[in-house]
Amino acid sequence: MTLPSDNKPAPDALKTQGMPQWAEQLIGQAIAVGISIIGGAVIILLVGESPLHVFATLLRGAFGSWERTAGSLLQATPIIIAGVAACVALRGGLFNIGVEGQLYMGGFAAAWVGFSFALPAGLHVLVAMAAAIVAGALWIALPAFFRARFGTNEVVSTILSNYVAVLITSYLTISVFKRPGGWSETEPIAPTAYLPQISDVSRLNIGLFIGIALAIGLHLFLTRTSAGYSVSAMGTNVKFAEYGGVSIRRNILVILLCSGAVGGLAGGVETLGVHHRFMEGFAPGFGFDGVIAALLANGSPIGVIGTALFFGALRAGSLLMEVETNASREVITVFQAFIILCVSAQILIRRRRDSTQGERRWKF
Amino acid sequence: MKAKFRNLAAGSALAAMLLGAGNASAETLKVAAISGYFSQGFGIAIMNGLKKAETDFGVELKIVDTGNRALDYEEQFNNIAKGGEYDLVFVMGWELVDALQKSNQAYPDQRFIFIDGVLDSPSMTYVDFVEEEGSYLVGALTGMLAAADAEGFNSSDEVGFIGGRDIPVIRNFLMGMEQGVAEQAEGVSVSSVFAGTFDDPAKGSELAMTLYGQGVDVIYQAAGPTGEGVLQAAKAAGKYAVGVDIDQCGTAPGNILASMLKRADVAVYDLIKGEVEGKPVKPGPVSYGVAAGGIELKICDEVADKIPAEVKTKLEEVRSGIADGKIQVKLNQ
């Protein structure tokens, strides 16, 4: 997996002239957010509310007090971790759209360890998180193997495995581990398996730091190690990476397994840190939010921290917005949809432009 | 000219003040409702009740849709309760109970009303529908039709019941129906079966077909989505079924005999009315049965003329008997 250092092309050699890449990306992101704000404002006007009032309430709901800020961070936590999971794959030129399913499997595995075993505090939570990681990796193992061995499109196989994961965890929750007399949820986990809370005013827990540490760790891995470089090289140009001596099949398998493992951890952090049990359909959409956050950050793990915080703040703010204004919380969904449109347009534009220069950013 | 305008302005300002003062003395009631199901059967009924109260009493309404992310529920409750702005907060949906109870502890002065269920929190109000009374009416109607060999009721003296899971609340439905049949239709018996699940329409359909095959002409279902399958089976077999909770006559027009309605709209409207008229909602259970208009047996329009007049008359007698307490419906517990 190591590349002789003199084979490294200077990164700038592949780049377009003019603006530095980061500036170009930042401008692109700003345009995406700008367009979605304008689009959102139009929708708000259509329902007869003042966009200014709605946006002000949105901001106050997201950052109005320490409690509300903690609420935003709480919402951002699973998106950061799921986003890092998506980044791992994106940087290797792969798409893991199955973060959602890995998150469910990881969440269930962590809860299962939490309520089935009695272990000393500290050890219990670590074992539960390890279970989440293993469950996530196992859940992507089949798509990963098929991608590496037969070149099966991982987008399709990971998307399909999402449905299976949601339904399997539903089945396990309702038919095997249901708490008697309750809603469709398992027994609560033992307090020894709780992720410690940061303060009493919110359910915010150290899962946030886990997410940030993962993002920084991935960034360092990609930029400072030769293994990380071989991943980036694959993502930029598979042919070139192969020519440079990277074992593509092995890398595909390892990258997707790691991506799935992080996805599983995202679910584990949710059950161990927030819900303290597994509920059927407990976190719909977080996996997809993570993928979107990673795309918006253009696959940069540090960028994911920013985009996930942005989405978290939007979600937290929207909860107050719905109570205090006449705008529905779905305005936020419209917002996100505009962002996705803009980002996919950018990817398309870049791909078209860059492909003439021998560079291919994402596979499709 | 200018002076005239000024007078006019002053006059209207005065009028506005007077009107405003009038409003202030009545003090607008502020009501919030929170659920993830406002677009579905039971939620629609609650919305109807709220809207009616809005037109009749001028209450201020706030509808909060929870969506389906468990992470959001707690903040949503707290956002509503924090300001102490709402006099009453209606809550519907079992998945919200945890967050509701936490918010109830954090904001003990906020009055929450949980719709359709019995909770373990003495400081909260909860609305409980007396399903067994409605089921008694279903038993009376189906039993009388079977005994009278009415059109479509020739094959046997048995009526059917399909429950979701064998749990106390569903047993109440069955007990009510059995009592209704036993007391109002001599010689008719109830053939009952539990699907073991609320989420399997195919299973409901299969069980219904078995019962119809045994010669049962009508099946009363209390099985959620599993019961949808029962209604479909009635259509396929050309037999009758009885709907539950909401008006299900439209699911298989002509094959649904009646629907046992839980009138969430009546309950919601009634509670708000009491509040407006100076009878505030108190913590604890509030039961809505036949007498209060919270439970109703609606005979479907499509089949109404096939039901003999004497059965209808008798059914009305039974209904008023339950309403004024002459007929006591027993409970499972």
Side-chain angles (χ1 to χ4, degrees), chain A residues 67-68 74-75 183 203 270 274-275 277 279 281-282 284-286 289 315 319-320 322-323 325 329, chain B residues 37 62-72 74-76 79-80 82 86 94-95 98 165 199:
Chain A
E67 205 181 328
R68 295 207 181 281
L74 177 70
Q75 293 274 356
W183 172 246
R203 291 171 292 167
E270 271 309 273
V274 181
H275 302 302
R277 62 194 185 280
M279 294 114 83
F282 79 123
F286 278 115
D289 282 0
R315 287 203 63 90
L319 299 180
L320 184 69
E322 179 158 57
V323 173
T325 74
R329 199 156 40 83
Chain B
Y37 303 104
K62 179 78 220 178
I63 305 296
V64 178
D65 175 27
T66 55
N68 52 7
R69 280 191 178 177
L71 184 58
D72 299 345
E74 243 180 89
E75 265 85 17
Q76 285 171 315
N79 279 337
I80 289 180
K82 191 177 264 170
Y86 297 100
W94 278 102
E95 73 279 18
D98 254 13
R165 298 214 336 268
D199 308 306

Side-chain angles (χ1 to χ4, degrees), chain A residues 29 76 79-80 83 289-290 292-298 300-313:
Chain A
Q29 266 42 308
I79 308 179
I80 294 179
D289 282 0
I292 297 164
L295 281 175
L296 186 62
N298 206 9
S300 147
I302 301 296
V304 158
I305 300 178
T307 51
L309 285 175
F310 176 65
F311 282 149

Side-chain angles (χ1 to χ4, degrees), chain B residues 12-329:
Chain B
S12 51
L14 190 68
M17 269 168 67
L18 285 172
L19 283 174
N23 273 344
S25 68
E27 211 170 292
T28 324
L29 191 74
K30 292 185 92 174
V31 174
I34 177 165
S35 171
Y37 303 104
F38 286 121
S39 56
Q40 291 173 28
F42 210 58
I44 292 175
I46 291 179
M47 277 297 267
N48 290 342
L50 290 169
K51 289 268 174 318
K52 189 159 174 249
E54 190 183 28
T55 8
D56 289 4
F57 310 122
V59 297
E60 222 174 286
L61 261 191
K62 179 78 220 178
I63 305 296
V64 178
D65 175 27
T66 55
N68 52 7
R69 280 191 178 177
L71 184 58
D72 299 345
Y73 301 156
E74 243 180 89
E75 265 85 17
Q76 285 171 315
F77 277 110
N78 292 345
N79 279 337
I80 289 180
K82 191 177 264 170
E85 207 183 322
Y86 297 100
D87 299 289
L88 297 175
V89 179
F90 289 93
V91 183
M92 197 264 283
W94 278 102
E95 73 279 18
L96 303 178
V97 167
D98 254 13
L100 170 64
Q101 284 173 334
K102 273 188 197 159
S103 196
N104 182 43
Q105 272 168 16
Y107 303 95
D109 293 337
Q110 176 67 61
R111 285 183 297 161
F112 288 109
I113 301 171
F114 188 75
I115 304 268
D116 200 15
V118 177
L119 294 185
D120 208 8
S121 326
S123 59
M124 237 180 308
T125 312
Y126 44 84
V127 173
D128 184 28
F129 291 98
V130 194
E131 297 102 353
E132 58 273 15
E133 290 185 358
S135 303
Y136 184 102
L137 287 174
V138 173
L141 172 68
T142 55
M144 286 189 289
L145 288 172
D149 282 342
E151 189 184 339
F153 287 85
N154 330 336
S155 31
S156 84
D157 282 337
E158 253 186 349
V159 291
F161 173 87
I162 293 181
R165 298 214 336 268
D166 190 356
I167 52 176
V169 60
I170 299 300
R171 280 269 164 195
N172 287 344
F173 282 86
L174 177 58
M175 290 278 292
M177 184 186 189
E178 282 178 338
Q179 194 187 337
V181 168
E183 291 179 10
Q184 307 298 334
E186 220 173 301
V188 180
S189 62
V190 180
S191 173
S192 65
V193 54
F194 288 89
T197 165
F198 286 101
D199 308 306
D200 194 347
K203 180 135 194 215
S205 207
E206 200 181 296
L207 290 173
M209 281 305 188
T210 315
L211 281 182
Y212 289 135
Q214 288 168 10
V216 166
D217 292 307
V218 61
I219 298 173
Y220 174 40
Q221 56 88 10
T226 302
E228 295 277 331
V230 176
L231 304 182
Q232 296 300 342
K235 189 176 183 183
K239 305 265 186 168
Y240 284 124
V242 178
V244 76
D245 288 356
I246 54 166
D247 187 345
Q248 294 183 313
C249 297
T251 310
N255 294 99
I256 313 295
L257 190 65
S259 285
M260 196 283 271
L261 307 179
K262 288 191 203 170
R263 298 290 302 267
D265 51 341
V266 172
V268 168
Y269 180 82
D270 208 57
L271 287 169
I272 296 178
K273 188 176 173 209
E275 192 75 18
V276 171
E277 290 173 353
K279 285 176 285 176
V281 179
K282 290 194 198 71
V286 186
S287 280
Y288 275 89
V290 167
I295 291 282
E296 191 183 310
L297 182 65
K298 187 202 170 198
I299 292 175
C300 299
D301 297 335
E302 295 87 355
V303 298
D305 49 356
K306 288 187 188 157
I307 296 173
E310 62 269 23
V311 170
K312 282 183 189 162
T313 324
K314 188 80 196 300
L315 187 67
E316 181 48 37
E317 279 167 26
V318 173
R319 198 201 66 79
S320 49
I322 294 176
D324 53 30
K326 276 187 214 123
I327 298 175
Q328 291 284 330
V329 184

